[in-house]
Amino acid sequence: MGWWLRLQLGFGLGSDFLISRDGSAVIVRGQLSSRKASQIRAIVRDDSQSGSPFAVVGRFGPSRTFRLRWAGNLDPFARQRLRNVLVQILR
């Protein structure tokens, strides 16, 4: 649970959105439309390959680019998979 506190207090400040998964609970918060948030929530919940708890915060840049910061136990392949999904949904 230390990674969650670190993410909320450190990385989470000034972020535009937060996505977290702990078991079957998926939280999506921030400056996203409800449609995009529900799409992200469904994909993260249904992703059977990454059952580990994790959180990611993102910050939008110019031209809707975004920067992600990760915490938790998500392997690099699962991170890349989620990043690819976020690129499709958020652009």
Side-chain angles (χ1 to χ4, degrees):
M1 197 53 144
W3 59 268
W4 177 253
L5 182 62
R6 182 180 61 137
L7 186 75
Q8 287 291 91
L9 295 178
F11 297 142
L13 294 175
S15 64
D16 292 319
F17 62 90
L18 171 114
I19 303 164
S20 69
R21 176 182 179 158
D22 190 13
S24 63
V26 178
I27 298 170
V28 179
R29 285 191 255 162
Q31 299 176 10
L32 302 172
S33 69
S34 60
R35 182 181 58 84
K36 290 181 180 182
S38 66
Q39 287 176 335
I40 293 168
R41 194 175 300 112
I43 290 169
V44 171
R45 185 181 311 117
D46 295 341
D47 187 8
S48 60
Q49 294 179 351
S50 62
S52 301
F54 73 91
V56 59
V57 293
R59 190 173 289 186
F60 290 113
S63 302
R64 289 299 275 189
T65 60
F66 53 88
R67 187 173 188 138
L68 303 174
R69 292 201 159 218
W70 302 87
N73 301 323
L74 203 58
D75 64 82
F77 299 111
R79 285 183 185 196
Q80 186 62 43
R81 220 176 20 254
L82 182 56
R83 183 190 175 286
N84 292 344
V85 167
L86 291 175
V87 166
Q88 290 178 355
I89 293 173
L90 298 178
R91 287 201 176 168

